[in-house]
Amino acid sequence: MSNVITNPVERTRFLKFMVVGVIGAVVDFGIMNLFSKLFGMPLVWAGTISFLCAILSNFFWNRFWTYPDSRSRPLARQLVMFTVVNVAGLAIRLPILHFLELPMRGLFERLSLPFFTPVFLGKNFTLAVAVAVVMLWNFFVNRYWTYNDVDKVKA
């Protein structure tokens, strides 16, 4: 963690990773809301599909923008590694989606905010918490496993 703070190259990578994460979050939230709202799909299922779409988006952005110097591994192998990390992230994400949605919905029912329903706010805030937690997991594991070949390029 301190390397991200003290090393300007790592700090830039982390910031790029976060931008890619925002793009992935737009994909994630958009697809989750589409499947949830239009097709009436439960959050866990809609969130799983949206997560898989975000994985593909994030992989390509990270491979070609965040870690352009990471080319010693074939694309398919690196995608598999990235997916393994993200599937582990999914294992972190699903319990958050499952157990936090109802309490969040209850919170928004008590607040009775205008414009959005408690169901909509509960789902989206639950997903936001899950995305934030999993983003930290994904950055550090991907940096030191999936994209560790950037260290070899420098050496």
Side-chain angles (χ1 to χ4, degrees), residues 24-129:
V26 168
V27 169
D28 199 353
F29 277 79
I31 291 174
M32 182 280 292
N33 280 294
L34 177 75
F35 278 76
S36 182
K37 192 86 165 161
L38 289 182
F39 304 122
M41 196 176 282
L43 178 60
V44 170
W45 288 105
T48 301
I49 292 167
S50 66
F51 184 73
L52 294 172
C53 293
I55 285 174
L56 289 174
S57 171
N58 289 358
F59 172 75
F60 287 104
W61 279 106
N62 280 316
R63 169 134 173 138
F64 296 106
W65 185 54
T66 308
Y67 298 102
D69 45 350
S70 176
R71 294 290 191 287
S72 68
R73 290 189 183 99
L75 184 124
R77 181 168 179 230
Q78 202 168 45
L79 176 59
V80 168
M81 293 170 77
F82 189 83
T83 301
V84 166
V85 171
N86 282 275
V87 167
L90 183 61
I92 296 167
R93 174 185 168 120
L94 289 178
I96 294 170
L97 295 179
H98 181 76
F99 292 111
L100 193 58
E101 180 186 7
L102 286 178
M104 289 297 265
R105 185 186 314 170
L107 170 69
F108 289 111
E109 285 170 352
R110 286 189 297 283
L111 293 176
S112 64
L113 299 171
F115 306 115
F116 297 107
T117 68
V119 171
F120 176 84
L121 291 171
K123 285 183 179 186
N124 281 278
F125 273 81
T126 299
L127 185 58
V129 169

